Amino acid sequence: MVKRKAIDITDHRRELGSLQRRLFLRGTLSLGAVSMLSGCNLQNGDSVDRVLWAMSRWNDRVQAWLFSQEKLAPTYTEAQITRPFPFNAFYPEDSVPEIDGADYKLEVSGLVDNRRSWSLSELRRLPQVSQITRHICIEGWSAVGQWAGVPLGTFLKTIGADLTARYVGFRCADRYYTSLDMATALHPQTILALDFGKDPLPEKYGYPLKLRVPTKLGFKNPKHIGALFVTNDYPGGYWEDQGYNWFSGL
Ligand SMILES: Nc1nc2c(c(=O)[nH]1)N[C@H]1C(S)=C(S)[C@@H](COP(=O)(O)O)O[C@H]1N2
Ligand SMILES: [Mo]
């Protein structure tokens, strides 16, 4: 008797779970529709994987295209700030990187006119903004916090970045990494945050520099940023490369 291979997604369940959630969250596509669109019969794990990754990248492009720089994330009052604010990372709190602010430099590379590094005091001399917004983690929690720092758009213009490039990438001291589409990078609420509340960022929340992006899920908010680059080559990210949808807009 010929054994037929049924839809075998067991090995891919985790990946499927996260991709599917993001892909189908908006209720526009079902797995059946994907197989019809792609002409793929979803007979084995390999093709399921390939189709879903392709769909996720396609979904990124549609989301990026729909993203409006004018649409602002909701803001909150000081009384609504969540205390204590939760900590999260891919490691426990006692492994948070220790960074000496006095020697710290933000490295800049890629499609920019001026690739020099920036000290914390130089970053503090650029125009600062403050926001009280909600951070939403894909793991199922959210919290309201206050962050202040330099709008990323202001910084990109200051370093002469090619604003027509597709991506801004970030590398962190704990080897975390992520990237944004240029429209989100230029959004007025996307900030290179130096302060949490009224004080410099505490170690666990990303000292000395984190990106605050209230129009995206929490994992698109890199902490302990060491380097920033502008590029047209898709940079991916720590969770993105494991199946979380890259755009992950709210
Ligand atoms: N460098 C770095 N940045 C990171 C992470 C990380 O592990 N390392 N985790 C991300 C995730 S999943 C979340 S929810 C937030 C948590 O930020 P918080 O500790 O300020 O709440 O940081 C994001 N940025
Ligand atoms: Mo998260």
Side-chain angles (χ1 to χ4, degrees), residues 180-224:
L180 293 181
D181 53 292
M182 184 58 79
T184 301
L186 297 174
H187 186 280
Q189 288 174 308
T190 300
I191 65 177
L192 280 170
L194 294 150
D195 292 333
F196 181 71
K198 310 270 183 256
D199 301 308
L201 278 169
E203 232 163 39
K204 62 178 174 177
Y205 300 135
Y207 185 79
L209 189 67
K210 78 162 251 168
L211 191 75
R212 179 62 194 134
V213 194
T215 54
K216 285 196 185 289
L217 285 173
F219 75 87
K220 304 290 293 183
N221 290 240
K223 304 192 286 186
H224 318 288

Side-chain angles (χ1 to χ4, degrees), residues 1 16 54 63 81 121-122 124 140 181 206-207 213 215 227 246:
M1 193 186 124
L16 275 170
Q63 289 184 80
I81 292 173
S121 50
E122 288 171 323
R124 286 194 182 276
D181 53 292
Y207 185 79
V213 194
T215 54
W246 176 77

